[in-house]
């Protein structure tokens, strides 16, 4: 038996207020987050993007993390977050843009669970101004100037 009381942050409640309550069974899952929603590459050195991995509800197994929608000429190898050890909580993706052409556009960082559930989760970045998160990460690849 459960009892639930819902009020807003100002202590208001009543028939003129509407709320949405969702209850679901907790399933093992993971969450991927990054610090920024936009990045700029350089031809001189690889761009490093740190991805924080949070395993929830007893999620076990490796997680393969890769970038989708990279522009032509950009290279980034998938990386694995092991169940235990240093990579269990944080990994770093490295984008090599030495041969890339000019690009401004969204990319996605995707984590794929290697267990029987085959979870596929987008990494999200915080949009501090809107107090929201986004799975669309903006990547800028400037023109590589040849000397």
């Amino acid at each position: 038996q459960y009892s639930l009381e819902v009020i807003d942050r100002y202590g208001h409640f009543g028939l003129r207020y509407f709320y949405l309550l969702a209850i679901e069974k907790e399933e093992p899952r993971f969450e991927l987050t990054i610090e920024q929603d936009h990045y700029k590459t350089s031809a001189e050195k690889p761009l490093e993007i740190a991805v924080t991995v949070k395993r929830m509800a007893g999620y076990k197994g490796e997680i393969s993390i890769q970038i989708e929608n990279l522009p032509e000429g950009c290279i980034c190898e998938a990386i694995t977050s092991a169940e235990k050890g240093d990579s269990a909580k944080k990994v770093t993706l490295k984008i090599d843009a030495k041969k890339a052409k000019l690009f401004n556009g969204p990319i996605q960082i995707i984590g794929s669970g290697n267990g029987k559930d085959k979870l596929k989760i987008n990494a999200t970045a915080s949009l501090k101004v809107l107090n929201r998160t986004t799975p669309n990460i903006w990547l800028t690849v400037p023109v590589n100037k040849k000397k």
Side-chain angles (χ1 to χ4, degrees):
Q1 185 175 22
Y2 297 93
S3 177
L4 176 70
E5 179 181 52
V6 180
I7 58 175
D8 69 10
R9 67 182 186 174
Y10 302 108
H12 298 144
F13 62 94
L15 297 175
R16 299 182 86 195
Y17 295 85
F18 297 90
Y19 303 94
L20 174 64
L21 174 67
I23 300 174
E24 54 189 48
K25 183 179 177 185
E26 188 169 63
E27 298 286 339
R29 63 192 186 285
F30 59 88
E31 189 176 88
L32 304 175
T33 56
I34 57 175
E35 293 194 15
Q36 299 175 197
D37 67 327
H38 59 280
Y39 291 89
K40 183 177 180 181
T41 65
S42 164
E44 290 79 40
K45 67 177 192 169
L47 169 66
E48 294 186 355
I49 300 176
V51 181
T52 301
V53 180
K54 182 178 178 184
R55 288 171 164 76
M56 297 175 287
Y59 185 86
K60 293 182 175 22
E62 294 182 340
I63 302 167
S64 176
I65 301 168
Q66 64 185 27
I67 299 179
E68 291 186 356
N69 303 326
L70 273 176
E72 185 180 334
C74 277
I75 300 167
C76 182
E77 291 188 24
I79 193 160
T80 299
S81 171
E83 186 177 334
K84 295 180 180 173
D86 292 340
S87 69
K89 294 186 179 183
K90 192 171 232 173
V91 296
T92 302
L93 292 165
K94 294 180 183 178
I95 300 174
D96 182 344
K98 287 179 192 161
K99 297 179 181 176
K101 296 178 179 159
L102 177 67
F103 176 80
N104 273 307
I107 59 171
Q108 284 79 39
I109 297 174
I110 309 289
S112 302
N114 294 338
K116 63 181 178 183
D117 51 23
K118 300 294 182 199
L119 277 179
K120 205 168 187 188
I121 304 291
N122 282 33
T124 59
S126 178
L127 297 172
K128 293 172 180 63
V129 176
L130 300 174
N131 199 23
R132 302 238 186 250
T133 60
T134 181
N136 295 309
I137 313 308
W138 196 262
L139 179 66
T140 299
V141 179
V143 174
N144 290 331
K145 297 177 183 172
K146 303 205 181 197
K147 294 182 180 180

